[in-house]
Amino acid sequence: MPLRLDSRDPGFPAAFDALVNARREADADVSRDVSAILKRVRAEGDGALADYTQRFDRHDLDASGWAIPAAERKAALAGIPNSLRDALELAANRIATYHEKQKPQDSDAVDSAGVRLGARWRPVDAAGLYVPGGRAAYPSSLLMNAIPARVAGVERLAMVTPTPDGVINPLVLAAADIAGVGEIWRVGGAQAIAALAYGTGRIAPVDVIVGPGNAWVAEAKRQLYGVVGIDMVAGPSEILVVADGQNDPEWIAADLLSQSEHDPTSQSILLTDDAAFADAVAAAVARQIPQLSTAAVARASWDANGAIILVPTLVEAMPLANALAPEHLELAVDDPDALFALVRHAGSVFLGRMTPEAVGDYVAGPNHVLPTGRRARFSSGLSVLDFMKRTSFLSLDRAAIGAIGPAAVSLAEAEGLPAHASSVARRLVS
Amino acid sequence: MPLRLDSRDPGFPAAFDALVNARREADADVSRDVSAILKRVRAEGDGALADYTQRFDRHDLDASGWAIPAAERKAALAGIPNSLRDALELAANRIATYHEKQKPQDSDAVDSAGVRLGARWRPVDAAGLYVPGGRAAYPSSLLMNAIPARVAGVERLAMVTPTPDGVINPLVLAAADIAGVGEIWRVGGAQAIAALAYGTGRIAPVDVIVGPGNAWVAEAKRQLYGVVGIDMVAGPSEILVVADGQNDPEWIAADLLSQSEHDPTSQSILLTDDAAFADAVAAAVARQIPQLSTAAVARASWDANGAIILVPTLVEAMPLANALAPEHLELAVDDPDALFALVRHAGSVFLGRMTPEAVGDYVAGPNHVLPTGRRARFSSGLSVLDFMKRTSFLSLDRAAIGAIGPAAVSLAEAEGLPAHASSVARRLVS
């Protein structure tokens, strides 16, 4: 049974605090294993990749092929039903259009002191994209990770994916073709992340690594942060639905279950001002679960991590929503903008009764790679900026250095850095 | 003696590769120590802080005071020479003006499918600022770290700094007052980073931690990345000067030494097309070093990590510059823009003969917190964006979900996620 709370109960603050601070992330101590894998791939390169792939994915890379050729991707795209190809293309186009607007502006101007100042954005040279194998091989995630890199102008996009027993999901290959992925390597796990970061004989190193993965993949990215750029530290998915009693309880139940079905560690929370509606949603969830092919996962997640919280008014729900800083926030009311104005921390917000979170997972356009585990307090969803970097620049002439140089000399001397002072002062007396 | 290379020598590619891949970062195994400190501060809070401060900084926080009151900051500002106060204020104003232009635009628009899409930026609630104690207590760094947070609109700015033997640099206090820092806590090291990330009885937790520090501080930030946002993984400072023979060798020597004097691990490299000029710069460096109060550090750095590389033309220098992806890049030529067009990777670029890097350290405006150790390939200098986060949002009406919803249903079914499909499909039939 999910947690039931009422914000008017005397025990609420403590119970809500416990909910906010609950850690749903696996505590598995993978750190040492990952560290050993990274070290070995760095030292031994492709030999280590072949060995780990034999061990974990049960196939011989030399026999099955290290990379998947472009022809195989194109064949996969040609082989899927038209309706799916159309859906993937609609999604890809909408994602590209949304992300185009994220491209940053360069600046270059001379100020009143005669100093020319600016900033110039450029894409990274190469991005690596991790795509999980097996059950979590989602073509939608591939699009969400690859398209922002392409929009940023990244020239080389290298994908790695485990192919357990040599098998790969054709829908993923089709999505890779649509997204313009240039290379697909049949390696997965921490060893694939190491190969992308350090490079091997076959796989050239990349500058940024993105994409979801299991605990080993996530830990490998965390350990390599700084050697390469990474998208984010990702945790279990979560949704917070703020809904009044005017919603169809079946719709809201389906929205909650759309997170619960991802993983037993996922979290779905309903905040409502209507006790009868809360009961109706709970009943609808219980009714819908057995109808799902994902029932076992959805039930495990809902029972362990689901919550229904009753509040006197939905305005009073918003500080609770901000404390949870959810990955996904639905505002299922007639005037969602009034509540949205009170939102400080959320990865993505879904406004109104006709905007289920799942539409954003696939085809709406904004990225579905979003901060989890309260990280929306300080981080943002994946964007074009994750694949670009900014170079600031500066140019002074004799007059400009005359105007601002003396202050630099004073500060350098006060900081005890005489060569700093001298490099400016020599140009002042010229 | 610094390294001397000529790109026409047969051994050059190997020697240059070694230079590019040389690790100058301390290999000290601080990871376990830091991990223990973080754990203890998380569990014991202020008690652990008091104990570590007694042990490492040799003072009793209960006696010396945990926080530095605002009056003490104001007194420090009133007590410094007018010229220094003016220099700090000039720097602060120019930094604020430059960073104001980084504030991102929100977006909110309805597309042709009737889908409302947008993104909204908000500052984090609280930022933590680490300021080193002792020799590296630079007021300029404080301004560079604090002002972008203030420009972003961060409401709470908490500074931590060690005060060895209870002593603090009054110039740092003065800069803190100018920068609008709200709290100053007399704690340093990994324990201060832990306090900012987890919070203690006295120190409320923050969302983002920025600022330079020693190996323990850097490792603490790395380990807490994901619990909080951090600015970057920082390494030793570096400068690459691309200069033709028309420069004053004394100026270029001073520019090189302005990095060398920071730390023995700093790196200064000259790329030039003029062998006689290269010799003249080397001689000028040798002449200038003994005149510096920082001579010992500058000599150690220049001898161990300095390099002079001769190239046939400066255009041919640019691929080398991109491979080094330097933190600071000076282009000391008459037409720096022609070379700047060839720059792919650099933290900050200083254009022309009258733009020494040191002017950018203090008063020019762009941030001096920049990616080191070839990280300019994928990361950027500190900016207002490091203190903000973006929430995407979405709103559909009946027509809009009718237009794009069926594609979402197809993809959700293909991915084996029936609750995702159902949450969209229920709204289609209504």
Side-chain angles (χ1 to χ4, degrees), chain B residues 39 44 73 141 146 159 183 198 217 219 248 294-295 344 369:
Chain B
K39 204 166 161 184
E44 300 174 29
R73 295 204 306 263
S141 284
M159 168 176 154
E183 308 163 17
Y198 295 127
V217 170
E219 175 64 15
D248 184 332
T294 52
R344 294 181 65 91
V369 180

Side-chain angles (χ1 to χ4, degrees), chain A residues 222-242:
Chain A
R222 211 188 61 79
Q223 289 190 16
L224 289 166
Y225 167 64
V227 175
V228 290
I230 67 168
D231 47 355
M232 63 182 67
V233 174
S237 194
E238 62 211 16
I239 191 171
L240 178 62
V241 179
V242 174

Side-chain angles (χ1 to χ4, degrees), chain A residues 47-412:
Chain A
L49 292 183
D51 188 44
Y52 286 125
T53 302
Q54 184 71 64
R55 199 188 316 171
F56 298 131
D57 297 333
R58 300 164 303 280
H59 65 99
D60 176 347
L61 280 167
D62 289 325
S64 55
W66 285 72
I68 292 173
E72 203 171 320
R73 296 205 304 265
K74 299 207 177 299
L77 182 57
I80 63 172
N82 284 347
S83 64
L84 268 182
R85 190 168 59 235
D86 291 349
L88 283 174
E89 281 170 355
L90 174 75
N93 289 335
R94 292 188 57 89
I95 294 165
T97 301
Y98 183 83
H99 287 77
E100 278 290 345
K101 297 192 183 113
Q102 293 174 340
K103 287 174 83 170
Q105 295 289 315
D106 291 349
S107 66
D108 188 351
V110 178
D111 72 12
S112 59
V115 179
R116 180 178 161 206
L117 295 154
R120 199 175 73 175
W121 290 86
R122 286 288 179 275
V124 300
D125 286 345
L129 166 59
Y130 192 90
V131 176
R135 199 169 64 97
Y138 296 139
S140 60
S141 283
L142 192 155
L143 298 181
M144 291 289 182
N145 281 280
I147 290 172
R150 211 187 55 195
V151 169
V154 177
E155 286 179 7
R156 177 173 163 246
L157 190 49
M159 168 176 153
V160 290
T161 190
T163 56
D165 302 305
V167 177
I168 186 167
N169 179 345
L171 211 52
V172 165
L173 287 187
D177 199 59
I178 288 173
V181 169
E183 307 162 18
I184 305 179
W185 300 96
R186 304 167 73 124
V187 290
Q191 59 272 22
I193 302 296
L196 289 172
Y198 295 127
T200 67
R202 282 188 170 81
I203 304 177
V206 302
D207 302 301
V208 171
I209 301 175
V210 301
N214 63 20
W216 278 261
V217 169
E219 175 63 15
K221 285 165 65 183
R222 211 188 61 79
Q223 289 190 16
L224 289 166
Y225 167 64
V227 175
V228 290
I230 67 168
D231 47 355
M232 63 182 67
V233 174
S237 194
E238 62 211 16
I239 191 171
L240 178 62
V241 179
V242 174
D244 61 23
Q246 304 309 305
N247 290 280
D248 183 333
E250 299 289 346
W251 293 10
I252 300 300
D255 297 354
L256 294 167
L257 288 171
S258 74
Q259 289 304 308
S260 306
E261 73 175 344
H262 269 301
D263 194 272
T265 61
S266 299
Q267 182 162 59
S268 303
I269 301 177
L270 170 65
L271 280 172
T272 183
D273 58 354
D274 184 323
F277 178 73
D279 292 338
V281 171
V285 167
R287 237 177 357 254
Q288 287 183 27
I289 286 178
Q291 301 164 17
L292 301 173
S293 58
T294 52
V297 170
R299 180 178 291 112
S301 162
W302 179 245
D303 283 352
N305 302 309
I308 296 178
I309 303 175
L310 201 62
V311 287
T313 69
L314 294 187
V315 165
E316 288 165 270
M318 301 320 290
L320 305 181
N322 286 324
L324 289 161
E327 181 187 13
H328 304 107
L329 173 60
E330 282 188 15
L331 301 175
V333 296
D334 276 335
D335 179 16
D337 282 297
L339 294 180
F340 186 34
L342 304 174
V343 173
R344 294 182 66 92
H345 312 301
S348 195
V349 180
F350 303 83
L351 301 167
R353 306 186 198 284
M354 297 300 280
T355 314
E357 186 275 316
V359 83
D361 280 341
Y362 293 109
V363 293
N367 213 286
H368 80 199
V369 181
L370 294 165
T372 55
R374 300 182 62 231
R375 297 186 187 90
R377 289 174 295 126
F378 56 83
S379 66
S380 311
L382 190 69
S383 84
V384 164
L385 297 185
D386 291 298
F387 299 97
M388 303 187 77
K389 68 269 173 32
R390 188 187 56 243
T391 296
S392 57
F393 61 91
L394 193 59
S395 182
L396 278 67
D397 59 14
R398 192 172 303 243
I401 199 166
I404 69 171
V409 174
S410 291
L411 290 168

Side-chain angles (χ1 to χ4, degrees), chain B residues 213-281:
Chain B
N214 63 18
W216 279 260
V217 170
E219 175 64 15
K221 284 165 67 182
R222 211 188 61 79
Q223 289 190 18
L224 289 166
Y225 167 64
V227 175
V228 290
I230 67 168
D231 46 355
M232 62 181 67
V233 174
S237 194
E238 62 211 16
I239 190 171
L240 177 62
V241 179
V242 174
D244 61 24
Q246 305 308 306
N247 289 282
D248 184 332
E250 299 289 345
W251 294 11
I252 300 300
D255 297 355
L256 293 166
L257 288 171
S258 74
Q259 288 306 305
S260 306
E261 74 177 342
H262 268 302
D263 194 272
T265 61
S266 301
Q267 181 163 59
S268 304
I269 301 178
L270 170 65
L271 279 172
T272 183
D273 57 355
D274 185 324
F277 178 74
D279 292 338
V281 171

